Amino acid sequence: MLTSTQPRRRSGAVAALLACALAGGAAGLTTTGAHAAPAPAPASDSDSASAGNARAAARLSLSEPTGPHAVGRTTLHLADHTRRDPWVPGAGARELLVTLYHPALKGTGTPSRYMTTEGARLLLEDRGIDLPAQVLGGTRTHSRTGAVPAPGRYPLVILSPGFSVPGTTLTGLAEDLASRGYVVAVTDHAYEAVGVSFPGKGILPCAACGRVDGNTFSAAAKGRGKDLSFVLDALLGKRGEHGGAGPEWRHSGLIDARRVGAAGHSLGGAGAAAATAGDARIRAVANLDGPFADAGSAAGLSGRPVLMLGTAADHSPAGADRTWDRAWSALTGWKRWATVSGADHFAFTDLAPLAGQLGEDDPDGLPGHRAAKITNTYVRAFFDRHLRGLPRPVLDGPSGAHPEVAFHDPAPRGR
């Protein structure tokens, strides 16, 4: 785990899960295993200096995308003038920052930056993580800004990050999907994360931090659902009740509007489910270790495919997060409930493999490189199957290649 000055907290019941995953517990963000590592022996001044020098010189890198396409990246700033920001009403219209990843021609564009140094500094400071900001901010990505789009039409997947963390934490998943022939829209929600810079406003504070709990979670998730639906309106050019006309992205012709999916981590997973329940254009949804907003968000999925992928510690049947049990009963279409042994709440984000590269995998948990591979494999297989109609046997039951993944559907085949 990335070194943290805050105490280790394990997610437990839904209230505890919200306290850790939503309010920003450092432990949930900074470890890849379900249990805390043994405390290290006291270090001498020289040992501490050596460790500090090694951290300052570290070169982090996201996992190499597995597909044949190069990956392009661009950013879109959106404002929904029909809604005021729910956290800072005086700020005016609800604002969103969408980072788009798409198949691109090789050799075009310039390397994309993972985060700004200031954004990384604020995120690390917020979490009490002992790592130079330039190390996190300088993480090597595999996408290129201004790259020429590869010709064709591709399925679209909208991604929403966990509460209080920026969308950049889903970059590895987004790049892998784009390399496999998807357009991916990673959405940052104004005032809901630390370290995100909005055009003309700079880095916005996380005004929502500390204000989401068991009583407000459902409203926050449904708000994200409206955000994601608005992003879809903007990308497809169908603005409807929001007014306006025409797509906001000049390369929107890359998107096949008949093949749209949504996914998210933590609150982002709840938001993706809420968006799908309220928007028939979204054909399939994946929830990565997030509670469901309420029974209605699952019942409203109208027979569409759902992947529930979470930690074994909190999201096994009859586990800490009982919203999964209730959602499972309400789902009427294709569905899979899978858990990953040894995984921590943030094992489904870039933070797991980055921690592993710093030598801070939890010895009793899931190694970061395995966390990234499992997340990418199962999310990609899910959308391949339901947006492309491709057979993906890895979704049909236990796999020797991924022994950490357990399925809880009593009769998964043929549904």
Side-chain angles (χ1 to χ4, degrees):
M1 56 190 153
L2 295 175
T3 301
S4 172
T5 60
Q6 299 183 32
R8 174 73 172 97
R9 289 185 291 172
R10 181 177 175 220
S11 52
V14 174
L17 181 67
L18 292 173
C20 180
L22 303 182
L29 173 64
T30 60
T31 181
T32 59
H35 304 284
S44 67
D45 290 343
S46 60
D47 288 340
S48 297
S50 296
N53 291 337
R55 281 172 170 272
R59 182 70 166 109
L60 301 178
S61 178
L62 298 179
S63 302
E64 191 82 29
T66 59
H69 293 284
V71 179
R73 180 174 128 178
T74 191
T75 302
L76 193 63
H77 180 213
L78 301 176
D80 182 354
H81 293 282
T82 70
R83 294 187 294 148
R84 298 186 76 81
D85 188 89
W87 310 108
V88 185
R94 178 62 165 165
E95 294 187 63
L96 306 165
L97 195 67
V98 181
T99 304
L100 291 153
Y101 298 82
H102 59 84
L105 299 183
K106 293 181 179 179
T108 62
T110 57
S112 299
R113 190 170 188 175
Y114 188 65
M115 292 185 73
T116 65
T117 301
E118 179 63 8
R121 183 190 70 78
L122 291 170
L123 178 61
L124 293 167
E125 182 180 87
D126 178 70
R127 303 293 167 151
I129 299 171
D130 179 20
L131 182 71
Q134 65 269 25
V135 173
L136 178 61
T139 296
R140 182 188 174 218
T141 68
H142 302 283
S143 51
R144 298 176 73 86
T145 300
V148 177
R153 300 193 72 198
Y154 307 99
L156 169 67
V157 175
I158 301 176
L159 296 181
S160 182
F163 186 70
S164 81
V165 295
T168 193
T169 57
L170 297 177
T171 300
L173 174 59
E175 289 184 341
D176 189 65
L177 285 170
S179 79
R180 292 286 189 134
Y182 288 86
V183 174
V184 183
V186 180
T187 302
D188 276 299
H189 311 260
Y191 299 108
E192 291 188 14
V194 174
V196 181
S197 181
F198 277 71
K201 294 189 175 181
I203 295 177
L204 298 182
C206 185
C209 288
R211 294 167 61 185
V212 176
D213 56 25
N215 295 320
T216 58
F217 176 80
S218 179
K222 291 177 181 179
R224 287 223 177 172
K226 293 178 181 178
D227 289 346
L228 298 182
S229 187
F230 180 75
V231 169
L232 187 53
D233 288 343
L235 293 177
L236 299 182
K238 183 180 179 182
R239 304 304 297 272
E241 62 177 316
H242 302 300
E248 300 282 350
W249 185 37
R250 66 189 182 100
H251 296 304
S252 62
L254 293 174
I255 298 171
D256 184 346
R258 301 166 301 173
R259 298 184 291 168
V260 176
H265 170 248
S266 193
L267 177 61
T276 305
D279 196 325
R281 295 171 297 180
I282 303 175
R283 291 183 50 188
V285 61
N287 183 352
L288 306 181
D289 213 49
F292 284 85
D294 52 35
S297 68
L301 294 176
S302 305
R304 282 166 287 180
V306 178
L307 172 66
M308 297 157 53
L309 181 65
T311 62
D314 290 317
H315 283 115
S316 295
D321 183 0
R322 298 307 295 271
T323 68
W324 279 35
D325 299 84
R326 292 191 290 271
W328 184 256
S329 298
L331 297 173
T332 58
W334 187 102
K335 56 185 179 180
R336 294 292 184 272
W337 180 340
T339 55
V340 186
S341 62
D344 179 85
H345 182 61
F346 278 85
F348 306 96
T349 73
D350 295 343
L351 299 170
L354 296 182
Q357 289 172 47
L358 291 169
E360 298 193 357
D361 278 333
D362 184 338
D364 297 321
L366 182 70
H369 71 280
R370 287 294 300 158
K373 185 172 181 60
I374 288 169
T375 300
N376 291 354
T377 295
Y378 282 85
V379 174
R380 184 177 66 240
F382 173 70
F383 288 120
D384 279 352
R385 182 164 186 166
H386 296 292
L387 299 184
R388 288 197 151 120
L390 300 174
R392 291 294 182 258
V394 73
L395 296 171
D396 292 333
S399 165
H402 306 290
E404 306 94 336
V405 179
F407 283 82
H408 301 290
D409 184 347
R413 294 175 177 78
R415 296 183 56 188

